[in-house]
Amino acid sequence: MDSMQLLAQLFPQGHEVTIADDFISGTATIAGQSISVIGTSGHTPIGVEIALAQARAVLATVRDHPQRPIFLLVDTQGQRLRHRDEMLGINSYMAHLGKCIELARQSGHKIIALVYDQALSGGFITSGMMADACYALTEATIRVMGLPAMARITKVPEEKLTALALHNPVFAPGPKNYERMGGVQAIWEGDLAQCLRDALLQADATDRRSELGQQRGGRRKSQQVIEAVLSQAAAVK
């Protein structure tokens, strides 16, 4: 969905959100409450500049608007693959963004994310996956890596990965598979403004993604491993 059309649907009473060089920032009001809107558009890759811009907007909200909710809009093709960004340490810039979002959470800000177009690899991990809850539109594209690229990296034949993707959501792209794994809380349809209002009311900083993945059958072992580790740690104490 076009980012301006999305903003109009999310905030039918108007907003003060701008888009410059694929960086989304500004404020809007939902259910009488002001929220900070931060994100990306145009499938933009996350390079050092846009990672810093997002981090700066998050920190400005923490500094100037205590406990104001933060709404992350995600549309990215992932980390920018340029020699300059790698030499500057793009991994550190992306980690910085993730840390800023975590600081906001620890400071009492509710953080909601919405994948409205593309969400790939590190650009998704350090934004949408850092939220209290990440949602997606039905037409969104979500994946860690395309199957052809995955086949090249893992040396597993693409045909085998394609077959695995039919039954295992870990290998398969798409919001429904990520919903099964618990990475996506729910898929939004219909009245997007109401969906956002509901999400803000339900926001919880507790990470229950593994628990959801187990309940939905997409990640059957993750929660068991977490519980086993916690149990053994308690026994050691």
Side-chain angles (χ1 to χ4, degrees):
M1 179 184 291
D2 175 82
S3 49
M4 293 307 295
Q5 292 177 344
L6 174 69
L7 289 168
Q9 290 190 40
L10 287 166
F11 311 111
Q13 295 181 336
H15 58 81
E16 296 178 0
V17 180
T18 60
I19 303 175
D21 296 327
D22 293 322
F23 172 52
I24 300 174
S25 64
T27 60
T29 302
I30 192 84
Q33 183 179 31
S34 293
I35 66 172
S36 291
V37 182
I38 302 166
T40 53
S41 66
H43 312 334
T44 190
I46 305 301
V48 296
E49 296 88 358
I50 204 161
L52 279 179
Q54 291 184 90
R56 188 181 300 114
V58 172
L59 292 177
T61 298
V62 174
R63 182 190 64 225
D64 300 332
H65 307 285
Q67 300 190 341
R68 171 188 280 183
I70 297 173
F71 184 38
L72 303 173
L73 290 175
V74 182
D75 176 19
T76 175
Q77 58 183 271
Q79 178 177 332
R80 188 162 67 192
L81 302 176
R82 289 185 184 173
H83 182 261
R84 172 179 175 274
D85 291 273
E86 295 294 339
M87 292 300 293
L88 288 171
I90 180 61
N91 58 310
S92 297
Y93 288 82
M94 297 176 78
H96 173 63
L97 171 58
K99 289 176 182 178
C100 291
I101 294 173
E102 178 59 22
L103 172 66
R105 181 180 4 265
Q106 293 180 5
S107 301
H109 297 261
K110 293 181 179 181
I111 305 170
I112 300 297
L114 174 65
V115 179
Y116 68 96
D117 204 314
Q118 286 191 11
L120 277 68
S121 65
F124 178 39
I125 293 170
T126 55
S127 56
M129 294 299 288
M130 285 297 297
D132 297 339
C134 182
Y135 298 85
L137 299 186
T138 55
E139 62 269 30
T141 299
I142 307 176
R143 64 174 182 267
V144 173
M145 185 181 292
L147 293 183
M150 193 182 296
R152 290 194 297 271
I153 296 297
T154 63
K155 308 304 180 184
V156 176
E158 185 178 343
E159 296 76 13
K160 185 173 183 178
L161 292 175
T162 302
L164 286 169
L166 295 175
H167 308 287
N168 192 326
V170 172
F171 293 93
K176 288 192 176 297
N177 287 301
Y178 276 77
E179 184 183 33
R180 282 186 63 199
M181 291 188 289
V184 166
Q185 183 83 5
I187 297 173
W188 286 2
E189 297 180 87
D191 187 340
L192 299 185
Q194 185 61 51
C195 289
L196 177 55
R197 284 192 288 270
D198 293 342
L200 288 170
L201 288 173
Q202 298 164 9
D204 183 352
T206 304
D207 188 350
R208 293 195 171 89
R209 288 175 291 188
S210 292
E211 182 181 340
L212 284 175
Q214 184 179 51
Q215 293 171 2
R216 296 168 180 176
R219 297 180 72 195
R220 293 185 288 273
K221 297 296 183 181
S222 178
Q223 185 62 25
Q224 294 178 31
V225 171
I226 291 172
E227 291 171 357
V229 170
L230 292 175
S231 176
Q232 292 184 26
V236 171
K237 291 180 181 180

